[in-house]
Amino acid sequence: MATFKELTSADKKTAASFLNQLVDVIQEDISGSNTRKTYQVFVTGGVGPGVTSSLFQTVYDQDFSLQTANPVFDLTVGIFSGSSDVKDVSTGVDSTGKVLFVSSSLMMREKISNYRQFAQLLLGNADSQFAAPFSGYEDDDAIDNGMFVCFKRLFSRDMIKRESFAMRFFTSASHTPGSPYGGSSHAMTSTQKPNLIQTSESGSMIFTDVGAASNQEVSFGGQVGNIVDSANTAQTVGLMFYEQGIGVFDMKKILSGGQHVSGVISAMNANNPSSVGFGRTVIGSAQLGRSSNAFAKFIPDLMTSASIDNILDHVASCRFSSGSNTAITFQNLTNINSTLIFCRATADEFNYSSNPTYVDGSTNKIRVIEVGQESTQKAFCFLTTVGLYDANDNLLAVAKLSRPVEKNNEKDITIRVRLDF
């Protein structure tokens, strides 16, 4: 049997603390094809076999086919419905209110829907537009083309710690010799490689939320901070919503949007199928027999003409590059709420064990007291366990001491029990 003592309100206290964990995402996890999972949920109809694409991609910390793999973050892009990029490729609205777009564009409604979903979640209004800096009101502050990085709860925990986020990103696409855009001819030569699929080799920059602790802002989606260029902190490139674990980046600022782009993208193309092939289009090249824009740029041409998978494949494989270097790092924050219970044993309490073997059954004497020394020796015991009971004496929790602690009438002991939740 246990020895009971009733706890009072003075014996119970509450406390709050937090735990930080460093998270590192390496380049290979983002760029690798076996660590980045796609979901073919969008399929076009009409000409040819159609175009399939994901609405987002998920980056894992190892091969996603393994049961031990953990999803780190989701990656997607979106376009603001009121931007000039949308207006330039829109042909009007049909009788049902659906916005129509030119045939050279792809997944525009899905890109707009992505943007609207994040605006609803983080700004409280699907029609609102993100701005970087968050409170910016200049035209250049508005985010028309957004890249959204959504960290999973397993890694972001309760929130991302302010001024701990950093991302290494290649703002410039890979450059190839003999640029086809400087002369009168725009045909690609044999020495050139499409920069849509080439890993960047220069132009990397570090984007960080430095200064966010001194300039704290709150939105519908919780605490928010500005993400800036570490080499020029006056240049704001995005936003970090700490409690949601979501980063929003202005693609015209983190990409060299005005740079020309060339490569093959997914598209519906019925012209010259013998040379192009259904569902494939060349962008940024004027090769004979291929439907393309010889002057195509990353923004707006790639953003409006390519599928979401095309864009994300380029961002993940080229802009983050490949290798074992850190691509994204941050510290998360876990809030810990604790109840501290002080179990006090005064000098005259808990000096006797309730264990039946504590008393010799034949002599009815305490075993720890030597025979003939009853007048000088006092009973003592060793404390090993604390049990917490409710008002009906139902055992709720058990706390084990790391080692037995001797208790006698010369000791006043307080054992602190901490319950974290």
Side-chain angles (χ1 to χ4, degrees), residues 142-201:
I143 300 179
D144 292 333
N145 300 272
M147 182 180 78
F148 302 94
V149 181
C150 311
F151 294 100
K152 297 294 187 178
R153 178 71 171 78
L154 176 64
F155 292 93
S156 64
R157 300 301 175 94
D158 290 329
M159 65 180 294
I160 292 175
K161 182 181 177 182
R162 285 182 179 271
E163 295 198 6
S164 69
F165 178 84
M167 181 176 79
R168 185 172 183 263
F169 199 80
F170 287 84
T171 60
S172 176
S174 180
H175 295 282
T176 55
S179 174
Y181 308 107
S184 57
S185 173
H186 300 291
M188 294 182 66
T189 67
S190 60
T191 61
Q192 296 160 359
K193 297 180 180 178
N195 60 359
L196 183 64
I197 58 173
Q198 288 297 112
T199 301
S200 299
E201 299 175 356

Side-chain angles (χ1 to χ4, degrees), residues 202-225:
S202 62
S204 66
M205 302 180 72
I206 303 296
F207 301 131
T208 175
D209 66 335
V210 62
S214 59
N215 184 24
Q216 299 190 18
E217 297 183 271
V218 179
S219 74
F220 179 85
Q223 299 181 43
V224 59

Side-chain angles (χ1 to χ4, degrees), residues 54-272:
S54 308
L55 298 181
F56 66 93
Q57 295 182 2
T58 302
V59 172
Y60 285 75
D61 58 359
Q62 57 182 304
D63 188 338
F64 59 76
S65 64
L66 301 177
Q67 291 185 343
T68 55
N70 297 304
V72 182
F73 65 85
D74 294 328
L75 183 66
T76 190
V77 295
I79 302 178
F80 178 58
S81 59
S83 67
S84 59
D85 296 341
V86 172
K87 295 177 182 178
D88 290 343
V89 295
S90 175
T91 59
V93 181
D94 67 8
S95 59
T96 63
K98 183 171 67 175
V99 182
L100 304 176
F101 296 95
V102 297
S103 59
S104 59
S105 66
L106 183 63
M107 296 185 72
M108 287 300 296
R109 282 184 286 271
E110 286 71 22
K111 295 168 187 174
I112 292 173
S113 178
N114 277 351
Y115 195 105
R116 287 174 54 83
Q117 289 185 54
F118 282 101
Q120 178 65 56
L121 173 65
L122 302 175
L123 303 179
N125 187 344
D127 296 323
S128 296
Q129 185 175 17
F130 293 100
F134 180 71
S135 57
Y137 54 86
E138 301 291 341
D139 291 342
D140 290 342
D141 298 335
I143 300 179
D144 292 333
N145 300 272
M147 182 180 78
F148 302 94
V149 181
C150 311
F151 294 100
K152 297 294 187 178
R153 178 71 171 78
L154 176 64
F155 292 93
S156 64
R157 300 301 175 94
D158 290 329
M159 65 180 294
I160 292 175
K161 182 181 177 182
R162 285 182 179 271
E163 295 198 6
S164 69
F165 178 84
M167 181 176 79
R168 185 172 183 263
F169 199 80
F170 287 84
T171 60
S172 176
S174 180
H175 295 282
T176 55
S179 174
Y181 308 107
S184 57
S185 173
H186 300 291
M188 294 182 66
T189 67
S190 60
T191 61
Q192 296 160 359
K193 297 180 180 178
N195 60 359
L196 183 64
I197 58 173
Q198 288 297 112
T199 301
S200 299
E201 299 175 356
S202 62
S204 66
M205 302 180 72
I206 303 296
F207 301 131
T208 175
D209 66 335
V210 62
S214 59
N215 184 24
Q216 299 190 18
E217 297 183 271
V218 179
S219 74
F220 179 85
Q223 299 181 43
V224 59
N226 296 318
I227 299 177
V228 300
D229 177 4
S230 62
N232 179 16
T233 56
Q235 173 72 3
T236 306
V237 301
L239 307 169
M240 175 56 69
F241 291 84
Y242 296 100
E243 292 167 310
Q244 299 289 342
I246 298 176
V248 182
F249 296 88
D250 189 344
M251 296 192 71
K252 73 174 181 289
K253 294 180 180 178
I254 65 172
L255 300 179
S256 298
Q259 184 180 2
H260 289 281
V261 57
S262 61
V264 178
I265 61 174
S266 300
M268 298 303 298
N269 186 4
N271 299 323
N272 298 323

Side-chain angles (χ1 to χ4, degrees), residues 350 353 380-386 399-408 411 413 415:
F350 300 100
S353 175
F380 66 92
C381 66
F382 287 90
L383 305 181
T384 60
T385 307
V386 176
K400 291 287 187 179
L401 277 67
S402 59
R403 60 179 177 82
V405 176
E406 182 182 352
K407 178 67 179 70
N408 55 47
K411 289 183 177 181
I413 295 178
I415 299 174

